[in-house]
Amino acid sequence: MTSSRGRQSAAAEGPGAGGDAPAAGSRESPGPRRSQDIPAPQLARTITIVALLCYGGVTVLNLVGTRPGVTRLLVCVACVLAVFTVQMLVSAPRAQLWTLRRKTAALLAQTLLTYLPLLWFGLNWGSMEGPLGASFLVLLPSRFGWSLFGVVLIVTPLHALAAGATPDAASYYTVSALLSGLVIYGLARLTELVSELHATRDELARMAVGQERLRFARDLHDLLGYSLSAIVLKGTLAHRIGLTQPERAREETRELVDVARQALSDVRLVASSYRALSLTAEARSAVSVLRASGVRSEVDVACGPLPPEIDTFLATVVREGVTNMLRHSAVRHCTITATRDGETILLSVVNDGVHGDGREQEGGGSPLGGERRGNGLDNLHERCVAVGGRLKAVVRENGLFELEVRAPVRSAA
């Protein structure tokens, strides 16, 4: 038996999360998907590195075209590598978590590495101003980052004109700085977003697995708690009356075997699929179990045909209610009623043998006071919320315990 939320989480996980394997003859390719060849964060980081290397390579090529000496060329390569190193640190996904002092030091170092080489290399170094603007955008809040990026774009044509460039060339250097800055900033943000998305997907996968484990544990509790209680009761009764009432003992033994077989079937089904229950059939089974334990029972289930999900939920309430009363009370009389009022079903399970002080509780938890006796009411409360219903548990002063559920005929889910 599986709740709607459990079925949804299982379906969301799909075959890759422990679901059924693809059927034989499926046309789906068994090979790995291309997106799994390289982890997405690593791929985004690699693209950023390649882009930065290309911008640095352009600067070196511009200088090589002027036929510089070996010393000048080596200094240029060293400066490019230094800017590249700082830019890679700034573009890391966790760079925004740096302290203000560390951000200031990184930006100051990159500013010096950007503008000091201009005194030696001139216009050939102009393309390195774009990465500096990108660093301002990455590390600083938007208001300050875009302001400083604008300052970089203003300074670029000014120093180009001061170095003897024509207005057309100065415009070219400005557009180049704008383009390179936006590209590097976009790649840095993309790397950060991809890393966050990858981490979120992993967390969602862990949550889905955890929810499926909770569903499985809850369903096992609901199914086996009732079945094992019935097996113990019928086995004890058959053993006690085996010599004095052999016919009834054989009947109880047959019913015990049927319950055990059903429990085995339930365990198999709950691990692989959804098993629908019937309120009417569950009420009849409850009468048999209560009779075997010497409890007088009155059952009146008159609510007509119900949707499978609501029928299964109400049957679960009866099953859990009977299990709890047999475990936690000296019950002698039990009443199970289910009535329909328009689009609402009212199910009530009342039994005696509980000594309380009239406390009332809605939702999960034990209404019996003192320590908690188990997770039964918690499970029922979750199922009730899933279908848009309301659960109430009351211990009255006369020792009667009432489990009342109001549920819509049509599930709210």
Side-chain angles (χ1 to χ4, degrees):
M1 176 180 55
T2 309
S3 66
S4 61
R5 181 171 54 185
R7 297 197 301 276
Q8 290 169 358
S9 64
E13 290 177 35
D20 295 339
S26 174
R27 296 184 180 181
E28 183 178 355
S29 174
R33 295 175 297 177
R34 294 191 60 179
S35 61
Q36 293 179 342
D37 294 342
I38 301 176
Q42 180 180 345
L43 180 61
R45 187 69 169 163
T46 302
I47 293 175
T48 303
I49 293 175
V50 172
L52 292 175
L53 288 175
C54 290
Y55 282 117
V58 169
T59 300
V60 175
L61 291 176
N62 289 336
L63 186 61
V64 170
T66 63
R67 301 182 182 278
V70 176
T71 302
R72 194 178 183 189
L73 181 60
L74 291 177
V75 172
C76 178
V77 172
C79 291
V80 168
L81 291 177
V83 173
F84 171 81
T85 301
V86 175
Q87 187 66 54
M88 285 304 303
L89 294 175
V90 170
S91 302
R94 296 178 178 268
Q96 292 187 353
L97 302 179
W98 288 356
T99 62
L100 179 60
R101 177 179 298 180
R102 188 174 182 181
K103 290 180 179 179
T104 303
L107 292 176
L108 181 59
Q110 188 170 358
T111 301
L112 294 176
L113 290 171
T114 299
Y115 288 109
L116 288 181
L118 283 173
L119 302 176
W120 194 6
F121 302 118
L123 295 176
N124 294 320
W125 188 257
S127 60
M128 299 304 292
E129 290 177 305
L132 175 62
S135 297
F136 287 138
L137 295 177
V138 170
L139 290 185
L140 299 179
S142 297
R143 181 176 57 181
F144 299 106
W146 286 104
S147 298
L148 291 176
F149 184 70
V151 171
V152 170
L153 296 181
I154 294 174
V155 172
T156 299
L158 294 179
H159 80 72
L161 292 173
T166 64
D168 292 342
S171 300
Y172 168 79
Y173 287 123
T174 303
V175 173
S176 176
L178 172 65
L179 180 61
S180 60
L182 293 179
V183 168
I184 295 175
Y185 170 66
L187 290 175
R189 289 291 296 152
L190 178 61
T191 302
E192 179 184 355
L193 293 176
V194 168
S195 299
E196 292 180 358
L197 179 61
H198 197 72
T200 302
R201 186 181 66 178
D202 291 342
E203 182 63 24
L204 289 176
R206 286 191 292 269
M207 290 177 62
V209 172
Q211 290 177 356
E212 185 64 13
R213 288 175 178 172
L214 289 176
R215 177 201 68 83
F216 187 75
R218 182 182 61 201
D219 289 349
L220 281 181
H221 174 275
D222 293 344
L223 289 170
L224 294 186
Y226 175 84
S227 300
L228 294 178
S229 297
I231 290 172
V232 171
L233 288 172
K234 290 183 176 294
T236 302
L237 179 61
H239 176 72
R240 188 171 65 244
I241 65 175
L243 297 179
T244 57
Q245 304 179 46
E247 288 297 328
R248 185 181 175 187
R250 282 194 291 269
E251 178 65 24
E252 295 294 341
T253 302
R254 283 195 296 270
E255 293 184 3
L256 185 151
V257 173
D258 291 340
V259 173
R261 287 174 177 169
Q262 186 60 60
L264 179 61
S265 176
D266 289 343
V267 171
R268 291 172 177 170
L269 288 173
V270 77
S272 59
S273 61
Y274 170 72
R275 176 176 180 258
L277 298 178
S278 168
L279 174 61
T280 303
E282 204 61 39
R284 288 198 301 266
S285 177
V287 170
S288 174
V289 173
L290 292 171
R291 178 175 59 84
S293 59
V295 178
R296 291 182 294 109
S297 59
E298 298 177 9
V299 176
D300 183 13
V301 177
C303 50
L306 297 172
E309 185 176 4
I310 299 299
D311 204 15
T312 296
F313 164 67
L314 296 176
T316 304
V317 174
V318 172
R319 174 173 286 200
E320 183 62 32
V322 172
T323 302
N324 284 343
M325 77 173 67
L326 293 177
R327 288 180 176 179
H328 307 314
S329 67
V331 58
R332 290 293 178 267
H333 183 268
C334 172
T335 301
I336 301 174
T337 59
T339 58
R340 181 168 180 169
D341 182 13
E343 294 299 312
T344 302
I345 302 296
L346 174 60
L347 173 64
S348 176
V349 180
V350 182
N351 67 279
D352 58 6
V354 177
H355 301 288
D357 54 5
R359 281 174 289 183
E360 176 179 325
Q361 178 169 332
E362 294 187 11
S366 172
L368 303 178
E371 63 177 331
R372 294 172 60 88
R373 300 291 187 96
N375 298 320
L377 290 180
D378 287 336
N379 294 345
L380 290 183
H381 173 62
E382 292 181 8
R383 295 177 185 274
C384 194
V385 171
V387 299
R390 180 181 178 186
L391 180 145
K392 182 173 66 175
V394 182
V395 180
R396 306 194 183 279
E397 295 180 356
N398 56 1
L400 290 180
F401 171 69
E402 179 179 4
L403 180 64
E404 180 184 284
V405 172
R406 293 181 181 270
V409 175
R410 300 295 177 183
S411 170

